[in-house]
Amino acid sequence: SSVMNRMNMQAELSFFEPYFFNSDNSFMAKLFFRDYGSYQVPLAIERRFGAETTIAHKIKSNKHANATFSLGVENVNVSEGDFNRIAGLYYANGVPITERAKQLEGGLFLSLSPALIYDTRDGATVTRHGTVANLRFDEEFGLNGFDKTHGKLTGIIKHYIPIAKKSSLSFTAKAGGKIHGDMPEVMAYRLGGPYTIRGYKMSGVGTGDAFVMGSAEFATPIPFMDRTRIKFLNNLRFTVWADAGKIFNPTIASKIYDRPEQAITAGVGMKINIPGVGPLSIDYGFPLTNCG
């Protein structure tokens, strides 16, 4: 109910060089354009275009570790999508309509983003043991308003434990938060949706300056499917999972939509990891708390 019902338009042109000067480095560059109903700012239209380059370097002292550095420039425009509807929500919740202008803040940003990646997973298609971790800092400089300059730190760690001969149990922890500055609502963290707290719609748990969440998931082959000659079906997994998370310093959107800001969910799903594409999944989740 908070996302504009309109066509999404996205385009991206990218270039990747796996051996940039030598085998220890790789280089990626991309141009992008995106136009869609905003997930962070309710009933707004979000348009983004820009460019980004990333250099990745293998750390010789540890074969499982990589360091990356990204440099990007992006113009973010947030426009009104349904003023009458949003004005009614503001009035019903006692929020001055003048606050809407803060929600619609965008800008032109220059980003510097160093990151560290650690990966000991045993396979790219079916993972049963190992750990993957990622720590990234984003410094966003406001080029058309230095008061919008802000920095944020985000981290994730996921650990796999083998169960029996073909199953696995995984635990995931994610967290992120604003370190300094005034972060526009369009760049806020969000919980809810297929990439965070499953069982809720996008941003359905809330949006804010910081978040913490965790997941546990059991994955196992579907009986007899893993014995076929079709490799695609051999990688198919049935999953049972639980997610939990909390948003901190909630935005105006969380107030006017009475979002719970914290949630625990459980569910089942189907997952398959396709080389060169990535993990694809279908999940069905049940909110266990703050069901509404």
Side-chain angles (χ1 to χ4, degrees):
S1 61
S2 65
V3 181
M4 286 295 297
N5 184 14
R6 65 193 303 276
M7 180 183 291
N8 291 352
M9 293 185 290
Q10 301 193 62
E12 181 173 298
L13 178 64
S14 62
F15 168 80
F16 178 65
E17 171 54 60
Y19 302 107
F20 187 59
F21 290 125
N22 60 57
S23 60
D24 292 332
N25 301 313
S26 64
F27 174 82
M28 174 176 281
K30 66 180 179 180
L31 301 171
F32 59 87
F33 169 79
R34 303 180 182 117
D35 184 313
Y36 51 88
S38 178
Y39 292 118
Q40 271 100 332
V41 182
L43 302 179
I45 298 170
E46 193 173 322
R47 295 185 180 92
R48 295 171 176 257
F49 64 88
E52 183 181 69
T53 60
T54 300
I55 295 177
H57 175 71
K58 295 179 181 178
I59 299 176
K60 293 182 179 180
S61 60
N62 190 320
K63 65 178 182 179
H64 300 296
N66 292 273
T68 69
F69 182 81
S70 298
L71 171 66
V73 61
E74 181 178 29
N75 186 76
V76 183
N77 178 267
V78 188
S79 59
E80 189 63 80
D82 191 337
F83 180 78
N84 292 334
R85 195 165 152 207
I86 200 71
L89 287 167
Y90 267 68
Y91 178 78
N93 288 274
V95 180
I97 192 61
T98 52
E99 294 293 307
R100 181 60 171 173
K102 294 181 181 179
Q103 283 193 305
L104 298 177
E105 283 187 352
L108 180 64
F109 296 93
L110 173 69
S111 62
L112 304 176
S113 305
L116 289 173
I117 302 168
Y118 179 78
D119 193 346
T120 64
R121 290 174 294 179
D122 61 332
T125 53
V126 177
T127 303
R128 297 189 62 238
H129 63 80
T131 301
V132 59
N134 188 321
L135 184 66
R136 176 180 172 123
F137 177 74
D138 295 285
E139 182 70 24
E140 304 272 0
F141 295 94
L143 298 182
N144 61 345
F146 194 75
D147 57 317
K148 299 176 185 177
T149 298
H150 62 276
K152 57 184 180 181
L153 183 68
T154 309
I156 176 175
I157 182 168
K158 187 169 187 176
H159 181 64
Y160 294 85
I161 301 172
I163 303 293
K165 292 183 178 181
K166 296 183 178 181
S167 304
S168 66
L169 180 65
S170 64
F171 296 94
T172 305
K174 299 180 184 179
K178 182 183 71 174
I179 303 299
H180 71 86
D182 186 12
M183 185 165 63
E185 189 165 330
V186 70
M187 294 182 171
Y189 291 103
R190 64 174 182 258
L191 285 183
Y195 310 111
T196 55
I197 306 293
R198 293 164 284 187
Y200 277 87
K201 293 182 179 179
M202 280 287 197
S203 305
V205 178
T207 56
D209 285 348
F211 81 99
V212 62
M213 68 160 289
S215 299
E217 183 172 276
F218 174 73
T220 188
I222 298 175
F224 306 111
M225 282 288 191
D226 60 330
R227 299 179 183 179
T228 66
R229 295 182 180 180
I230 304 174
K231 292 185 178 180
F232 179 83
L233 296 178
N234 293 346
N235 297 332
L236 190 63
R237 293 293 183 269
F238 171 76
T239 62
V240 179
W241 51 264
D243 295 337
K246 178 177 175 59
I247 278 285
F248 299 92
N249 300 321
T251 62
I252 296 172
S254 294
K255 180 177 180 179
I256 64 177
Y257 280 93
D258 193 27
R259 291 169 174 167
E261 300 169 20
Q262 56 188 13
I264 301 174
T265 63
V268 297
M270 303 284 286
K271 179 178 293 185
I272 188 167
N273 200 318
I274 302 175
V277 176
L280 305 178
S281 63
I282 298 175
D283 296 304
Y284 190 88
F286 305 85
L288 301 179
T289 62
N290 302 307
C291 299

